[in-house]
Amino acid sequence: MKQKKIPMRSCIITKEKYEKKDLIRIVRTPEGIVKIDTTGKMNGRGAYLKKDLEVIDKCEKMQALNRILETNVEKEIYDELRNIIKE
């Protein structure tokens, strides 16, 4: 029997490849709104981050999401990411 392929994605900070379920996806919708995509299927430009507080802090300091999503990412998004990781 053929084995199902596991989707792999790269963290934008660490550049390491992980299974899609082990990362958090942040999306800029076609309307220009930045959201955290818990389903992994939202429409728009996406970026993946490792579920690690240090990675979130480094991302905020470097403003990597601003560059990749080509928009201004509010501080509330980073706070929400930290809350998701802590749960």
Side-chain angles (χ1 to χ4, degrees):
M1 186 172 184
K2 195 173 182 181
Q3 207 172 16
K4 188 175 180 184
K5 187 177 177 193
I6 300 170
M8 300 291 280
R9 301 290 183 266
S10 296
C11 172
I12 62 171
I13 301 299
T14 64
K15 307 291 189 227
E16 296 173 309
K17 286 199 176 271
Y18 295 97
E19 289 183 28
K20 194 174 174 180
K21 65 179 172 82
D22 295 334
L23 298 168
I24 301 172
R25 185 171 187 246
I26 298 90
V27 178
R28 185 197 70 214
T29 63
E31 296 81 34
I33 301 165
V34 177
K35 294 183 177 182
I36 297 172
D37 181 9
T38 54
T39 64
K41 298 179 181 180
M42 280 180 83
N43 206 9
R45 182 171 182 83
Y48 291 89
L49 288 172
K50 182 179 174 184
K51 292 181 181 177
D52 184 358
L53 291 175
E54 290 177 22
V55 170
I56 304 300
D57 294 338
K58 189 173 181 181
C59 181
E60 185 175 17
K61 185 178 177 185
M62 293 171 46
Q63 295 189 348
L65 283 177
N66 292 2
R67 206 170 40 251
I68 289 173
L69 298 179
E70 299 168 353
T71 188
N72 189 27
V73 178
E74 300 295 325
K75 185 173 179 359
E76 290 79 35
I77 295 292
Y78 294 106
D79 294 337
E80 200 174 327
L81 285 168
R82 288 183 187 98
N83 289 336
I84 289 171
I85 291 170
K86 288 177 185 174
E87 290 175 358

